[in-house]
C-alpha cells in the first residue's frame, strides 16, 4: 500500500500513542512527563468534537506520523486561533513527509476559516524550528526556562503563522466534519 495522508480515526489512537510515547519518554520535545495511554489519546482526539483536524500519515498500512490542531486557549475570543502539532515515527521521517503532513493540516485549517496557527516548540529543537519557519511561521516569543524536563530547565518558543486575513466580524469557523470532502481530499493529496 502506498504512502498516503488521511483523516485520523478513533481506532488510530494506539498507533498515535506509539508514535508519541518516545517523544515524551526520551526527549524534551514536549513537556509531558508521562506518556499518555492509548485510551487517553483517543479521549484527546474526541475532544476535538469534529472541529479540529487530526491527520495521519499512513505508510504501507501503518500509521507513522500525525499532525493535529487544538484550541489555542479556551476563551471564546481565541476561537479563530489554533495550536498545531506534529509527530513522526523514526521510519516516518524523511522524504519531505513532515512538510507534506503539516502543509495538509494548514490547508484544512485555512478552509475551515481559522485565521492564525501557533506552534509551541520546546527549545532547542532545530528541526521543528526549521519546519515551522519553512511553512511561514515566525517566532513571536520565547519563554526562558519555562519547564523542567530530563534534568534541565527548558526554554519554550511560540511560532505563529497567519492562515487568513483578519475580517470584522470574523467568519464562522467550519468544523472539519462539515468541510466539503473534495476540499479535504485536495489538502491530503501528495503534491
Amino acid at each position: 500500500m502506498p504512502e498516503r495522508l488521511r483523516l485520523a480515526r478513533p481506532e488510530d489512537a494506539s498507533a498515535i500513542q506509539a508514535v508519541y510515547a518516545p517523544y515524551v519518554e526520551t526527549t524534551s520535545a514536549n513537556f509531558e512527563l508521562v506518556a499518555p495511554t492509548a485510551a487517553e489519546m483517543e479521549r484527546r482526539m474526541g475532544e476535538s468534537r469534529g472541529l479540529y483536524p487530526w491527520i495521519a500519515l499512513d505508510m504501507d498500512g501503518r500509521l507513522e506520523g500525525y499532525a493535529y490542531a487544538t484550541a489555542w486557549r479556551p476563551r471564546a475570543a481565541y476561537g479563530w486561533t489554533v495550536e498545531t502539532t506534529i509527530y513522526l515515527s523514526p521510519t516516518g521521517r524523511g522524504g519531505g513527509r513532515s512538510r507534506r503532513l503539516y502543509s495538509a493540516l494548514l490547508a484544512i485549517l485555512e478552509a475551515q476559516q481559522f485565521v492564525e496557527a501557533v506552534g509551541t516548540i520546546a527549545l532547542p529543537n532545530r528541526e521543528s524550528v526549521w519546519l515551522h519557519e519553512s511553512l511561514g511561521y515566525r517566532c513571536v516569543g520565547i519563554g526562558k526556562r519555562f519547564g523542567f524536563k530530563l534534568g534541565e530547565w527548558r526554554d519554550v518558543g511560540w511560532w505563529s503563522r497567519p492562515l487568513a486575513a483578519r475580517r470584522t466580524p470574523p467568519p464562522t469557523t467550519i468544523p472539519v466534519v462539515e468541510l466539503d470532502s473534495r476540499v479535504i481530499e485536495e489538502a491530503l493529496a501528495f503534491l
Side-chain angles (χ1 to χ4, degrees):
M1 179 181 286
E3 292 181 18
R4 68 184 180 110
L5 299 178
R6 60 174 174 76
L7 292 179
R9 304 178 293 262
E11 56 267 24
D12 293 323
S14 288
I16 286 172
Q17 189 274 345
V19 168
Y20 182 61
Y23 286 93
V24 174
E25 295 165 347
T26 65
T27 78
S28 61
N30 65 59
F31 284 178
E32 287 204 72
L33 299 177
V34 177
T37 64
E40 172 60 15
M41 294 307 287
E42 186 173 355
R43 186 194 67 73
R44 292 178 188 185
M45 294 172 74
E47 279 183 345
S48 72
R49 303 174 313 279
L51 178 59
Y52 303 106
W54 283 66
I55 301 172
L57 167 63
D58 191 306
M59 295 173 58
D60 297 320
R62 294 181 322 274
L63 189 144
E64 297 290 349
Y66 66 100
Y68 68 99
T70 59
W72 164 241
R73 295 285 183 260
R75 295 202 171 105
Y78 292 119
W80 295 268
T81 301
V82 294
E83 185 168 7
T84 56
T85 305
I86 183 170
Y87 290 98
L88 283 94
S89 71
T91 55
R93 291 186 198 123
R97 292 181 188 101
S98 60
R99 188 174 171 80
R100 287 193 305 269
L101 183 54
Y102 229 32
S103 293
L105 178 67
L106 293 170
I108 289 172
L109 293 168
E110 289 170 357
Q112 290 182 267
Q113 302 190 79
F114 287 106
V115 298
E116 195 74 23
V118 176
T120 302
I121 304 173
L123 301 172
N125 189 333
R126 271 190 321 226
E127 294 85 5
S128 188
V129 168
W130 176 86
L131 174 64
H132 284 82
E133 290 182 352
S134 75
L135 291 169
Y137 287 75
R138 296 294 169 247
C139 184
V140 294
I142 295 178
K144 295 294 190 180
R145 300 169 48 119
F146 264 41
F148 186 80
K149 186 163 183 190
L150 299 178
E152 293 183 42
W153 285 100
R154 308 284 178 169
D155 296 348
V156 64
W158 294 275
W159 272 253
S160 181
R161 178 196 189 273
L163 296 169
R166 302 311 198 263
R167 297 188 317 209
T168 303
T172 301
T173 56
I174 303 165
V176 70
V177 296
E178 294 178 17
L179 280 180
D180 185 303
S181 62
R182 291 172 294 191
V183 170
I184 294 172
E185 288 170 13
E186 184 176 309
L188 297 177
F190 274 85
L191 302 177

